[in-house]
Amino acid sequence: EDELIRNEKKISSILRVAPVGIGLMVRRVFKEVNPRMCEMVGYGREELMEKNSRMIYPAQEEYDLAGLEKYRRIAEKGTGTVETRWLRKDGQIIDVLLCATPLDPQDLDKGVTFTALDITERKRSEDRLRFLASTVEQASESVIIRDTEELIRYVNPAFEASSGYSAEEVVGHQMYFMEFNQENEALLEEVKETLVAGQVWSGRVQSLRKDGTAYMEDLSTTPIRDEQGKVVSYLTLKKDVTHELELEDQLRQSQK
């Protein structure tokens, strides 16, 4: 009995300090939950005990889908892991990674233990990254990302279209060979000095397409810093202004 009491205290201590929600359910009814689980959903322990887990789902469809997918994976792999959404007591919806393991794989009616991890912030970050990636991919301006060695690490489709170079041809190389020649060495040094100083450089340069034709671009390069303020990469935006300059020149000629 003393050994059982000691083990129970150990388990209780682990459940109390665990950073993830942990609990026991029988036929989707709460039989035990740890403090973190209560924090995640905003309900006290007594409010959850002997209640069906439907109360923490925002809709019947979400509840049904989570259960169906969870038990399908338990049947296939012995453990059911599923991403779902829960409805907190205060009305806030959170994203959750739910993992359930049956007490007896041969008899699911005996219940399952589960862990629940709040992945709301992770999902938001993923959504922001997807939005940014989509925006960059569809941008009409050329976008180039370089590392601190000034080697190209990424170019968007607009760059490929305007320069004639594919991403495979330029990634891992410097881009100065497309923008500056010996006559512009002074300008190249100005750009490098500005970036080394951690400042933004903007200006108009003549670039060369893959086929050797020259075209004018408005270019801006910004140092990107990490949380400590250290420059970790450079973001360059380039816009082909050749056609605009030609129209301006034609307008001036017509006004003479």
Side-chain angles (χ1 to χ4, degrees):
E1 289 179 359
D2 289 343
E3 184 66 24
L4 286 174
I5 291 173
R6 282 194 294 270
N7 286 336
E8 184 177 345
K9 288 182 177 179
K10 288 180 182 178
I11 293 172
S12 178
S13 176
I14 292 171
L15 293 178
R16 209 166 37 245
V17 301
V20 297
I22 301 175
L24 169 66
M25 285 195 298
V26 176
R27 297 181 181 177
R28 305 194 77 178
V29 172
F30 292 113
K31 296 298 183 179
E32 188 57 76
V33 292
N34 72 334
R36 176 55 184 150
M37 176 64 187
C38 295
E39 291 174 7
M40 286 177 61
V41 296
Y43 289 96
R45 180 179 179 278
E46 297 306 317
E47 292 180 286
L48 293 174
M49 288 300 93
E50 301 301 329
K51 301 293 195 309
N52 191 286
S53 60
R54 170 66 183 88
M55 65 184 289
I56 62 170
Y57 283 87
Q60 185 68 37
E61 293 78 7
E62 191 83 31
Y63 172 78
D64 293 340
L65 182 61
L68 182 66
E69 187 66 15
K70 178 176 65 181
Y71 286 109
R72 181 184 70 79
R73 296 186 180 184
I74 286 176
E76 291 178 354
K77 302 179 180 180
T79 298
T81 301
V82 62
E83 286 190 16
T84 187
R85 296 183 304 161
W86 282 355
L87 178 66
R88 285 175 46 85
K89 185 178 181 179
D90 61 10
Q92 178 186 354
I93 294 177
I94 61 174
D95 293 292
V96 176
L97 181 64
L98 183 63
C99 182
T101 303
L103 295 175
D104 183 351
Q106 306 305 318
D107 186 1
L108 297 182
D109 285 340
K110 290 183 178 180
V112 298
T113 58
F114 70 87
T115 60
L117 178 65
D118 186 343
I119 58 172
T120 306
E121 285 305 313
R122 191 196 81 184
K123 296 284 287 185
R124 287 175 180 168
S125 296
E126 290 174 352
D127 290 342
R128 284 195 293 268
L129 286 174
R130 278 192 291 268
F131 172 76
L132 289 173
S134 176
T135 300
V136 170
E137 286 287 305
Q138 298 179 48
S140 58
E141 294 184 344
S142 296
V143 177
I144 304 100
I145 297 176
R146 293 173 292 151
D147 60 22
T148 53
E149 300 297 321
E150 299 186 359
L151 299 179
I152 297 174
R153 294 306 176 193
Y154 169 83
V155 293
N156 70 338
F159 169 87
E160 295 179 297
S162 63
S163 70
Y165 289 95
S166 67
E168 291 75 14
E169 291 175 300
V170 297
V171 169
H173 300 279
Q174 290 189 343
M175 71 180 199
Y176 294 128
F177 73 92
M178 293 176 288
E179 299 165 343
F180 301 96
N181 51 41
Q182 292 181 351
E183 298 177 357
N184 288 331
E185 285 186 0
L187 181 58
L188 175 56
E189 288 305 313
E190 176 191 323
V191 174
K192 290 183 176 180
E193 289 175 5
T194 302
L195 297 181
V196 168
Q199 300 175 345
V200 178
W201 188 90
S202 298
R204 184 163 290 172
V205 299
Q206 184 183 73
S207 299
L208 294 177
R209 293 189 175 89
K210 185 179 178 180
D211 62 11
T213 58
Y215 64 111
M216 300 301 297
E217 291 185 304
D218 282 344
L219 181 150
S220 176
T221 297
T222 303
I224 305 301
R225 303 175 186 274
D226 62 14
E227 294 179 355
Q228 286 70 45
K230 180 183 177 182
V231 174
V232 293
S233 60
Y234 299 102
L235 172 66
T236 297
L237 302 179
K238 291 152 56 88
K239 180 182 179 182
D240 186 346
V241 294
T242 307
H243 184 60
E244 295 176 16
L245 294 176
E246 290 175 348
L247 291 178
E248 290 176 5
D249 186 58
Q250 291 174 9
L251 180 60
R252 283 194 297 270
Q253 293 295 331
S254 66
Q255 292 176 344
K256 288 183 179 180

